[in-house]
Structure formats: C-alpha cells, structure tokens
Amino acid sequence: MKITSIETTIVNAIHRNWVFVKVQTDQPGLHGWGEATLEWKTRAVNGAIEDLAPLVIGEDPMRIEHLVARMTRFGFWPLGAVSGSAVSGIEQALWDIKGKALGVPVWELLGGRVRDNIRVYTHLRRAKIGAQVGIEDISAFCDAVQETVEMGYSAVKLGLIPYTGHDAPLSAVRHTAKLAQAVRERVGDEVDIMTDFHGRPESLDAAKAYIDAIAPIRPMFIEEPIQPGNTPAMADLARRVDCPLATGERLFSPREFAEVAETRAVAFVQPDLAHCGGFSGGRRIAAIAEAAGMGVCPHNPMGPVAGAVALQFDVATPNFVIQEEAVGLVPWFEDICSSYPLELVSGAWAVPDAPGLGIEIDEKTAAKYPFKQEEIPALEAIHGDGRIAHW
C-alpha cells in the first residue's frame, strides 16, 4: 500500500477555519482523515501540509512512526505551532487508514479500551458563536451556565476574569469572587467547574489574586493562569495557591511537557492532538504525565475530526480525566459529517466501534462553508489605556 496524495478541505466556522486533512492511498476507497486546525493561521498550515506532502507520498501509510520521523527529522527546523499542526493532521489520518485497513477502531491499535465512556466538558452554551454572555451581569451569566448544564453536562469551563495586566484591581477581584460563588450556588456541588485564564495575568501576583478569589468554589482546575512557556514561574505559582492548575494547549513537544512534569508545575496537562504530533506525540506526553502523577485533559475547541481523534485517544489513555469539546460552535457542526461518532450520553461520549476514527467528512456539504477570513475575537483584547492585552 502507498500514499498517493494529501488533500485539505477547509471549512469556515466563523471564528476559525477547520483544516481537514485527507490522505489518499492506492487502495480503492481507502483514505484517512485528520484535522490540523490552528486559529488564524489557516493559510500557513495549508502551506505547511503542501511542504510535507513530498516526504510521505509514495510511502507505506502503515509505518506511522517512520513517517512521523520523515516529516520531523528531514525538516531540520524544530516544530512550532504551524508545522506541528500540519504534521499532526497527516499523522492522525495515517491512524485512520490503519484502523480501516485492519477493520478496528484506532483505540484498539493504541492498546485497547481502558474505560467505558469518555467524560466531557463544554463551554458556555456549548460555545455557540454569538450566544455568549459577559461576566458583568452575574445573574445573566448564571442563567447561561444553568442552561448549559441542563443540556446534559456535568462539567463546564467558563471565562471568569477580565483582561488583566500586571495588577489585579481590587474591584475586579471582588467581582470575580462574587461571580464564582454565584455560579457555584446556581449549579451545586455535583457539577465540576473549570475556568480558563487564557494567560491573561502578566504577573504571578495578579494571577494569584484571581485564583484566590475563585479557589473557594473548588474548581476542578484553573487553566493557563499565566502565559505558557515559563514553567519555573508556573511551578512557583502552583506552590503559592490552593487550587489545581492546568496547562498544555500551547506546548508542543514531549520535552516541554517533561519540564512541566519534572517541576510539578500543574496538576493536569492539556495536550492538543491537532498540534502536538497527533496520537504519536499525545501518547508520549500522556506517559510523561502518568510518571509524574498528572492527569491528562486534552484541549479541543475545534472541528468534528479533532473531536473524533480525541475520543479515540481518551478511550485508550489510562490517566485521561476529562475531554474538552465545542460541538455547539456552529449549528451545522454534525451536518458536514456522513459518519459521526461523538454521541453524548449523560455527560460523556460513548465508545465507538467503527474502524479507524469512525468519522467521514461529507465533502459536498463541507463545500457549502468554504474558506474565508475568520472573525478574530482576540481583536477586542485591549486594556483601557489602549495597550494590547493577552486574549
């Protein structure tokens, strides 16, 4: 069996373009899907996939680790967000091909099922674009949280803090404390709450002030309380607060995650399989985390193929904890698929048994939403004095 071509299908989902990767083989009807979506870098990722194609076309798609080495070692330059996403999308598609060729789901190839369902969490109103609620109106925000939980979830991730610089104004911290407490009172103790800081605080003291305000409601974790990459600072912060921390969506290599594990900087790591090397990179990262006693909560606010990939990974990963999903981003999320495995049952995804990833993109339907410039919500991230904030 040989790889004959690599194609991309780009689908505009308003705030991002989903980049679906299709790897074709010389076996009639046998192909694989992957997803290489990277917010606001669509053209760059698509070009990187074109650059990688000559390294794998003509090769045996069943030799996945060999092909990952070809894509990473022949390239000379270390992988970053763009090239890492391109490699990830192609790598995922290879697993899809292998599972289909052998007639088994990908989770079977990863060592087999270690759990019976995959607990998931969603965002406010399932991340539906245009349906979000600001943090200023506590009552309206709580109404939206309650509405989200009633959609069938036992866990939800919320944005609870404002754009933040090096300081944390007392009035903003007190408002955050009131908001967090109101949310907890509304949903009760049976619902897990996470909050994503998006790396907004620019100092450990600012991050600590907001964490201390939220900690009394016992969140499952606080995500990216500071910008990623400064692992010693994250470890320092972890020792100064009484709340589990999480990071990893903007880390790409096992070496980066090894530093996080060695310093015990967080309680949970959040690799994104669309950026960190697909299943191959994700498995290495999960093993590193397991050795350090850390849970894995994969990042995924993207399209349906990314969801299918995460589902297969979670089924076979012993230290998996909970999976992010955003299946409500657009109303036609499921419609672009002719086969769709993300079945929500009591706040969890069911384990699929179809060969490969269990997902197929309906390319005719997907073509109704062609590439166009995304709407970029980060453009609103500006401090009162005009300085650019971390979104």
Side-chain angles (χ1 to χ4, degrees):
M1 190 193 310
K2 302 294 183 184
I3 295 171
T4 57
S5 68
I6 299 178
E7 307 163 3
T8 56
T9 295
I10 298 176
V11 174
N12 179 259
I14 305 176
H15 284 170
R16 50 176 60 78
N17 283 295
W18 294 331
V19 181
F20 300 136
V21 182
K22 187 178 185 181
V23 176
Q24 295 274 19
T25 74
D26 59 1
Q27 301 296 309
L30 182 57
H31 59 265
W33 287 101
E35 183 168 343
T37 301
L38 183 65
E39 291 87 341
W40 320 320
K41 301 291 185 294
T42 306
R43 300 171 185 87
V45 172
N46 196 56
I49 292 169
E50 292 178 356
D51 287 339
L52 290 169
L55 303 179
V56 297
I57 290 175
E59 297 293 319
D60 180 355
M62 305 289 271
R63 300 182 64 189
I64 297 174
E65 286 287 351
H66 175 71
L67 293 181
V68 169
R70 288 180 66 88
M71 289 188 286
T72 56
R73 297 186 180 188
F74 284 160
F76 181 67
W77 297 103
L79 298 184
V82 171
S83 55
S85 300
V87 168
S88 299
I90 295 170
E91 191 266 3
Q92 296 163 10
L94 299 177
W95 284 97
D96 192 25
I97 290 170
K98 191 163 190 171
K100 289 173 178 174
L102 298 176
V104 297
V106 168
W107 57 256
E108 196 74 82
L109 303 175
L110 300 176
R113 178 167 57 88
V114 298
R115 55 182 46 83
D116 297 330
N117 57 64
I118 306 304
R119 191 181 184 207
V120 300
Y121 70 86
T122 192
H123 300 254
L124 200 66
R125 289 179 170 161
R126 302 184 89 191
K128 182 179 180 182
I129 294 173
Q132 300 306 296
V133 177
I135 60 175
E136 299 79 16
D137 188 332
I138 292 178
S139 179
F141 191 89
C142 289
D143 287 345
V145 175
Q146 180 177 347
E147 176 187 331
T148 305
V149 171
E150 290 174 352
M151 292 175 181
Y153 295 90
S154 64
V156 60
K157 186 166 74 179
L158 308 168
L160 297 177
I161 73 166
Y163 297 122
T164 303
H166 286 83
D167 63 331
L170 181 59
S171 60
V173 172
R174 286 181 171 168
H175 180 81
T176 297
K178 292 177 183 178
L179 175 62
Q181 187 60 42
V183 169
R184 173 56 75 200
E185 290 175 358
R186 179 67 68 91
V187 301
D189 291 347
E190 300 304 313
V191 174
D192 278 312
I193 298 170
M194 306 84 148
T195 182
D196 189 352
F197 279 25
H198 264 203
R200 290 179 177 182
E202 296 182 36
S203 71
L204 296 188
D205 288 337
K208 183 179 184 300
Y210 284 110
I211 293 171
D212 289 348
I214 296 169
I217 73 166
R218 310 308 297 173
M220 176 180 278
F221 59 72
I222 288 179
E223 179 178 332
E224 282 199 337
I226 60 174
Q227 283 289 305
N230 190 344
T231 300
M234 185 75 81
D236 183 20
L237 180 62
R239 289 187 287 269
R240 294 170 59 186
V241 298
D242 183 23
C243 186
L245 305 182
T247 196
E249 70 178 81
R250 290 188 276 179
L251 304 178
F252 308 111
S253 70
R255 178 62 254 170
E256 291 172 300
F257 283 92
E259 184 181 20
V260 172
E262 289 161 1
T263 58
R264 302 301 192 273
V266 297
F268 304 101
V269 295
Q270 301 172 289
D272 191 315
L273 301 183
H275 310 318
C276 73
F279 291 102
S280 302
R283 294 173 76 190
R284 290 177 172 86
I285 291 163
I288 290 168
E290 185 176 24
M294 297 157 54
V296 178
C297 305
H299 176 259
N300 169 42
M302 296 174 293
V305 177
V309 167
L311 171 56
Q312 298 286 334
F313 175 80
D314 301 341
V315 172
T317 301
N319 54 330
F320 163 79
V321 178
I322 194 167
Q323 175 63 54
E324 178 179 19
E325 57 104 298
V327 301
L329 275 169
V330 289
W332 40 267
F333 189 96
E334 183 178 345
D335 295 345
I336 63 168
C337 304
S338 57
S339 176
Y340 181 79
L342 308 181
E343 179 187 0
L344 185 69
V345 181
S346 300
W349 283 339
V351 176
D353 56 11
L357 296 177
I359 193 165
E360 288 291 335
I361 295 298
D362 182 335
E363 294 176 77
K364 289 185 179 180
T365 302
K368 297 178 181 179
Y369 309 97
F371 168 85
K372 65 178 180 180
Q373 177 59 54
E374 309 95 324
E375 297 178 11
I376 303 178
L379 295 178
E380 68 185 23
I382 300 175
H383 290 295
D385 63 358
R387 186 168 63 91
I388 303 299
H390 286 296
W391 179 59

